[in-house]
Amino acid sequence: MSHINVTINGRQYRMACEEGQEVRLLKLAENLESRVEALRGKFGEIGDARLTVMAALTACDELLDAGARIRSLEEEVEQLRNARVDAGDRARATQIAVSNALNAAAERIERTTQVLNRTVGGGIAIG
């Protein structure tokens, strides 16, 4: 377990984090600090605790919006996967139909050729 100091709203806090997560924790604290500063610039000195709570609530609001967007995108991805599967099924069905039509046409051509060969072979002499 690592420990680092972060500054939020002008106060230092000693925080524990997993090894290798120090930079991430510092970035999170910097993000919260910038939110507090932005709110302070917008509303003035309305109290440290209130500024911190407002900053945390704006972060939570963004997190909820991001979660909803992720769920929406996951649903869209699932719909696209289903559409891809359906398109593949339709392509296979079309391929089978074309193959059957070509086989049927080949059989008709073969029968016509046999009829013509009998007619030419059994009837008129060519040459």
Side-chain angles (χ1 to χ4, degrees), residues 18 26 28 31 40 48 52-53 55 58 70 90 102-103 113:
E18 293 181 16
L26 286 170
L28 291 170
N31 182 280
R40 180 178 283 115
D48 291 346
T52 304
V53 168
T58 59
I70 287 169
R90 284 191 306 274
L102 289 173
N103 287 336
T113 301

Side-chain angles (χ1 to χ4, degrees), residues 19-105:
E19 293 290 330
Q21 294 297 312
E22 297 86 357
V23 172
R24 181 167 175 81
L25 182 55
L26 286 170
K27 286 183 180 180
L28 291 170
E30 288 171 6
N31 182 280
L32 183 57
E33 175 66 12
S34 69
R35 290 172 187 271
V36 169
E37 289 301 318
L39 290 168
R40 180 178 283 115
K42 188 174 183 179
F43 297 107
E45 290 297 329
I46 58 172
D48 291 346
R50 188 169 180 195
L51 281 172
T52 304
V53 168
M54 288 173 65
L57 287 173
T58 59
C60 288
D61 183 50
E62 289 177 15
L63 181 61
L64 285 175
D65 288 347
R69 180 72 179 134
I70 287 169
R71 283 186 296 283
S72 173
L73 290 171
E74 287 173 340
E75 289 172 7
E76 186 177 337
V77 165
E78 185 61 27
Q79 289 171 355
L80 290 171
R81 282 184 182 140
N82 291 340
R84 185 187 68 195
V85 168
D86 291 345
D89 291 346
R90 284 191 306 274
R92 281 187 287 284
T94 300
Q95 184 179 15
I96 290 169
V98 167
S99 177
N100 289 341
L102 289 173
N103 287 336

Side-chain angles (χ1 to χ4, degrees), residues 12 26 36 41 79 83 90 105-106 111-112 115 126:
Q12 283 211 351
L26 286 170
V36 169
Q79 289 171 355
R90 284 191 306 274
R111 282 194 307 269
T112 302
V115 168
I126 299 180

